[in-house]
Amino acid sequence: MSDAADDRTGTAGDGSVPVGEHADRPGEGDDASRPTLRERRIAAWRGAPRVLARLGFLAPLSERLTLLEAAGGVYDLDETSDIYGNGVVEALEERVARLLGTEAAAFFPTGTMAQQVALRCWAGRTGNPAVALHPLSHPEVHERNAFSQVSGLRPVRVTGEPRLPTAAEVRDAEEPFGALMLELPLRDAGFVLPSWEELTAVVDAAREREAVVHFDGARLWECTEHFGRSLEEIAGLADSVYVSFYKSLDAFGGAALAGPAGLVEEARAWRHRYGGNVFQQFPTALSALIGLERELPRLPEYVRHARVVAAALREGLAAGGLPWFRVHPEAPHTHDFQVWLPYEADVVAEVAIVAAEETGAVLFANYWDPKGPALSCTEVYVRAAALEWTAGDVREAAEDFARRLLRAAEATA
């Protein structure tokens, strides 16, 4: 599954579709117009009156373009457009640096590029190309070995547990490393975060080894509620931080690398070498400024409501008679979390689609990932649309889904 579109929706940046999403594609000679699971799922999500999240990147282009109608409220549109990173792009960089409390920030078209550039710059300074990271971190799972194939970096896996590494694991790592990269939150482990005390201890352990600390903060924006700390305090623990503009802020794309002025200046040179110094980026930059204005202040509210949704989901699935399921984490650390079910992914996906089509309420809008025999997992996203759901609404929908799933499982047994 690619993170290029921040989802389990099959909108992978390389054009791929997750395993199982073509499961209902007819064979040769059948009706070629029959929609795939993915097409049906997205159509049901678009047409449903009630969803937990309206993800902009899946909206029709006509709707997506309306985002820029608010551009005049975040930037002077009489200013000359950007050329190779000036103008509105510079304004965005300055805004990010202020929010994170860093000396500078540089805009990048992708987070993949931003992190490779940051870590190769740190490797030059430390003299060590080894990067300690979790095996479930984004570069290891979703970037096709870009660290080693493109940037001359060598990943060193710190722990295999589905959580962030502990201070002891960092301190006792067998191999030396020049940089420790921490993904906050660790998305593929369930959007999980350590406690503030655990995080500071891990950073201290890296410092003891004379390593720099880089935060993969693609979703750092929504971590403040869990840590009870400001963005500036969180980012201040690291030597450099990457943030994404589309994952939680609903921008068209883009990322930023923030840190010391000298590092950021060198990163700009490498950005050019990597082909990331794009001629004009004003639509993306404007959409990011709009996201910082509109969505950033609301993220703590989404996180709090995600905990309500998760608790109600557990109650509803239990009331519907499911013998086993897992909502992970039980109390979400951010506004995203996982749901695990002991059924084949194609069975669960079909039930979720039909329930959405028939009830107009969508609990599970994302791709169901097969995790083993009769085991599947999906991600649940909670955004502004979810605030219209009460706990009772979620319980009712979850109970209905559970009963439908049990009937479908019996029918296929």
Side-chain angles (χ1 to χ4, degrees):
M1 186 277 300
S2 168
D3 194 45
D6 184 34
D7 70 331
R8 293 190 183 274
T9 60
T11 49
D14 58 4
S16 65
V17 175
V19 175
E21 288 283 278
H22 282 324
D24 60 349
R25 173 66 77 187
E28 202 170 318
D30 291 331
D31 181 7
S33 64
R34 182 182 173 189
T36 63
L37 277 173
R38 175 178 180 272
E39 290 166 342
R40 289 175 56 214
R41 179 165 49 79
I42 293 175
W45 170 80
R46 283 183 175 179
R50 305 191 70 194
V51 299
L52 293 177
R54 293 284 180 196
L55 302 177
F57 63 82
L58 287 178
L61 275 173
S62 58
E63 181 180 321
R64 198 71 175 118
L65 287 171
T66 62
L67 178 65
L68 292 181
E69 292 175 359
V74 297
Y75 191 74
D76 184 357
L77 300 186
D78 289 328
E79 291 286 333
T80 303
S81 183
D82 61 300
I83 298 177
Y84 291 121
N86 64 7
V88 66
V89 176
E90 286 182 334
L92 175 60
E93 292 172 339
E94 292 168 3
R95 177 78 180 275
V96 170
R98 287 197 305 273
L99 283 168
L100 299 181
T102 59
E103 291 181 352
F107 179 87
F108 277 80
T110 70
T112 298
M113 184 186 295
Q115 299 209 107
Q116 285 188 58
V117 165
L119 291 165
R120 78 173 299 153
C121 289
W122 284 125
R125 284 163 163 74
T126 64
N128 189 335
V131 179
L133 77 177
H134 196 286
L136 289 178
S137 60
H138 194 276
E140 285 290 88
V141 179
H142 303 298
E143 295 179 14
R144 299 188 177 189
N145 306 117
F147 272 15
S148 58
Q149 295 298 312
V150 179
S151 298
L153 301 168
R154 184 169 61 85
V156 173
R157 297 184 173 188
V158 180
T159 181
E161 296 298 319
R163 52 159 171 74
L164 273 294
T166 65
E169 288 166 339
V170 171
R171 191 177 292 111
D172 299 337
E174 295 178 351
E175 297 184 62
F177 51 86
L180 171 66
M181 190 187 103
L182 298 173
E183 183 177 329
L184 302 174
L186 186 58
R187 182 261 183 94
D188 279 285
F191 305 92
V192 295
L193 289 163
S195 69
W196 179 254
E197 292 72 24
E198 289 168 336
L199 179 60
T200 55
V202 168
V203 170
D204 289 343
R207 303 267 192 253
E208 291 174 20
R209 299 191 59 145
E210 299 183 346
V212 298
V213 177
H214 171 78
F215 285 170
D216 175 343
R219 298 171 175 82
L220 192 76
W221 308 115
E222 60 263 34
C223 293
T224 57
E225 184 71 15
H226 174 83
F227 288 131
R229 307 280 172 161
S230 68
L231 285 170
E232 186 172 349
E233 288 177 282
I234 299 169
L237 292 178
D239 296 285
S240 59
V241 181
Y242 140 67
V243 289
S244 173
F245 295 128
Y246 72 86
K247 289 182 170 65
S248 301
L249 302 181
D250 203 32
F252 294 162
L257 172 64
L263 177 82
V264 172
E265 190 62 27
E266 183 184 358
R268 294 181 194 277
W270 281 106
R271 180 183 64 186
H272 198 168
R273 295 181 180 119
Y274 273 65
N277 200 30
V278 179
F279 178 54
Q280 289 194 311
Q281 291 275 37
F282 66 89
T284 300
L286 287 170
S287 70
L289 286 170
I290 293 168
L292 289 171
E293 189 72 22
R294 286 182 172 181
E295 289 299 304
L296 181 58
R298 303 194 71 184
L299 296 183
E301 182 182 16
Y302 300 166
V303 175
R304 292 191 293 271
H305 196 61
R307 296 166 185 166
V308 174
V309 171
L313 263 175
R314 289 197 304 274
E315 294 170 5
L317 294 176
L322 289 186
W324 182 90
F325 59 86
R326 178 76 182 273
V327 176
H328 176 69
E330 286 195 4
H333 298 173
T334 71
H335 50 47
D336 301 326
F337 58 91
Q338 295 176 337
V339 172
W340 292 68
L341 293 173
Y343 299 97
E344 298 293 345
D346 57 347
V347 174
V348 184
E350 180 66 26
V351 171
I353 291 168
V354 172
E357 291 170 338
E358 294 182 353
T359 69
V362 183
L363 278 180
F364 305 115
N366 297 326
Y367 165 66
W368 285 90
D369 193 6
K371 292 293 188 180
L375 184 64
S376 56
C377 173
T378 194
E379 294 176 346
V380 176
Y381 308 148
V382 174
R383 301 293 189 273
L387 301 179
E388 301 175 5
W389 295 59
T390 66
D393 294 333
V394 176
R395 281 193 296 271
E396 181 180 349
E399 183 174 349
D400 174 72
F401 171 82
R403 297 189 188 285
R404 289 171 180 266
L405 182 56
L406 287 173
R407 291 195 296 269
E410 291 173 2
T412 58

